[in-house]
Amino acid sequence: MRFAICDDEKAQQQLLQKYLEEWAQISGTPLKSELFASAEAFSFTWEEDRDFDLLILDIEMGQQNGMELAAHIRTEDEEIPILFVTGYEKYMAQGYEVAALHYLLKPIRKEKLFSLLDRLKEKNLRQEQRLLFQTEDGPLSLPPSRIWYLEARAHWCVLYTADIEYTLHCPIGELERFLSGQPEFLRCHRSYLVNAGHICAILKTELVLDDGRRLPLSRSAQKKVNQAFIALHEDSVFRRAPR
C-alpha cells in the first residue's frame, strides 16, 4: 500500500510515519509512506502520479489548507480515501462535503488510527484490482475473475470471459509475463493460460471449466495446475463437474 502524509509540522509527519510503520509490521502489510510539507507540494506530485491508497491531510497548512486540497482532489478522483488529522473540531462538517474517510483529532491515538487502517485494508482486499489489455477494438479493463482463459493464435491471442471473446495483438508469452503477478493464472498448455479459479475438474489430459468448456493439459503442467487448484479450493470437500 502507498500512503501520502501531508502536514506542515515535521514532528507530526514523523509521528504519523512511525505509527504507519508500526501498523504495517503488526498487520504484515507492505507499506510505503511519502511525506509532503504543504498542499502545494502534494499537488505537484498528484498531477503526475495518483497511485495512492490513502491521503492523510492536515487541515491548517500554509496558503492552501487540507480541506481546499481535498476539494480539488475530489473534482478529479471521487474514490481515493482521505483522512483528515487536525487539532480543531470546527472542520468536521466540511469533511463530509469532500467524502472524507475519517477525521482524527490531534494528538492522534494510534489505536484509533490502527483500527481505521485495518478497515481500509479489508476494504481494499475486497475490491479486486482490474487489469488493462489492448484489444483490436481499443483498451479493455477487466478484473482477473472475469477472465476464464487465454488462447494463443499464431502471434496473437484470444481472451475468453464467460460469454465474450476479445482479440489481443500480443503473443501468449508476453501475456504470461504480464499476468505473472496474478497467481491464479497458469500455463496449462503451450497454447493456453487458464484462470485456476474457473477450473471445475482436472482430468488426465484436460481441464474442465465451470461452464463445461475443456482445455488441454500438458504433462509438464499437471503438477503445477494440481497444486494451484488444491490451494484455491482447500476449504471445499469437493466440486461437482458439469454434466
Side-chain angles (χ1 to χ4, degrees):
M1 301 180 80
R2 184 183 178 209
F3 294 171
I5 301 171
C6 189
D7 196 308
D8 60 355
E9 296 180 21
K10 189 172 183 179
Q12 186 67 29
Q13 285 184 349
Q14 293 173 343
L15 179 63
L16 280 167
Q17 191 170 49
K18 177 185 175 183
Y19 284 169
L20 293 180
E21 290 171 355
E22 187 176 337
W23 173 79
Q25 185 174 5
I26 293 172
S27 64
T29 306
L31 175 64
K32 178 182 180 182
S33 57
E34 299 179 28
L35 306 179
F36 301 89
S38 67
E40 292 81 6
F42 177 76
S43 293
F44 182 79
T45 297
W46 174 258
E47 292 305 319
E48 300 294 329
D49 182 3
R50 302 183 180 184
D51 188 23
F52 289 92
D53 297 293
L54 175 66
L55 307 183
I56 303 177
L57 306 181
D58 186 19
I59 294 183
E60 293 200 334
M61 295 186 295
Q63 293 183 343
Q64 185 183 38
N65 66 38
M67 197 64 69
E68 292 168 341
L69 174 60
H72 171 67
I73 289 169
R74 281 288 177 254
T75 64
E76 301 177 354
D77 189 326
E78 297 180 355
E79 301 297 328
I80 188 167
I82 296 175
L83 167 63
F84 286 118
V85 292
T86 183
Y88 303 94
E89 295 185 10
K90 62 183 180 180
Y91 294 108
M92 291 186 70
Q94 291 176 265
Y96 293 111
E97 295 175 9
V98 293
L101 174 68
H102 206 76
Y103 188 105
L104 293 180
L105 285 173
K106 299 178 183 178
I108 294 172
R109 292 175 53 192
K110 70 177 181 180
E111 294 79 10
K112 283 192 173 183
L113 177 62
F114 286 9
S115 176
L116 180 69
L117 296 176
D118 287 340
R119 295 198 302 272
L120 178 63
K121 180 181 177 180
E122 183 179 352
K123 180 181 177 181
N124 285 349
L125 289 174
R126 292 197 301 264
Q127 293 176 340
E128 190 176 14
Q129 182 181 5
R130 300 175 75 90
L131 300 173
L132 183 64
F133 299 90
Q134 188 64 41
T135 76
E136 62 180 357
D137 297 317
L140 171 69
S141 175
L142 288 174
S145 61
R146 286 279 311 280
I147 304 168
W148 285 57
Y149 65 97
L150 300 106
E151 179 184 6
R153 303 269 186 92
H155 298 294
W156 47 283
C157 290
V158 178
L159 183 154
Y160 295 86
T161 66
D163 51 5
I164 305 177
E165 302 175 11
Y166 299 95
T167 300
L168 310 179
H169 288 291
C170 59
I172 197 165
E174 184 176 326
L175 285 171
E176 185 175 20
R177 288 190 292 273
F178 173 66
L179 295 169
S180 61
Q182 306 291 329
E184 65 269 39
F185 288 96
L186 306 167
R187 190 75 170 264
C188 63
H189 182 273
R190 65 179 183 178
S191 298
Y192 291 89
L193 277 166
V194 64
N195 185 337
H198 291 300
I199 298 175
C200 179
I202 301 176
L203 307 181
K204 188 174 182 180
T205 60
E206 62 182 1
L207 304 174
V208 183
L209 303 188
D210 288 326
D211 64 352
R213 283 181 283 187
R214 294 175 180 246
L215 303 180
L217 174 63
S218 65
R219 181 176 298 178
S220 62
Q222 286 177 352
K223 182 178 179 180
K224 187 175 182 179
V225 171
N226 268 284
Q227 289 174 339
F229 179 76
I230 292 170
L232 278 172
H233 306 292
E234 60 186 355
D235 294 330
S236 301
V237 177
F238 67 91
R239 298 190 72 197
R240 185 174 57 194
R243 297 175 182 176

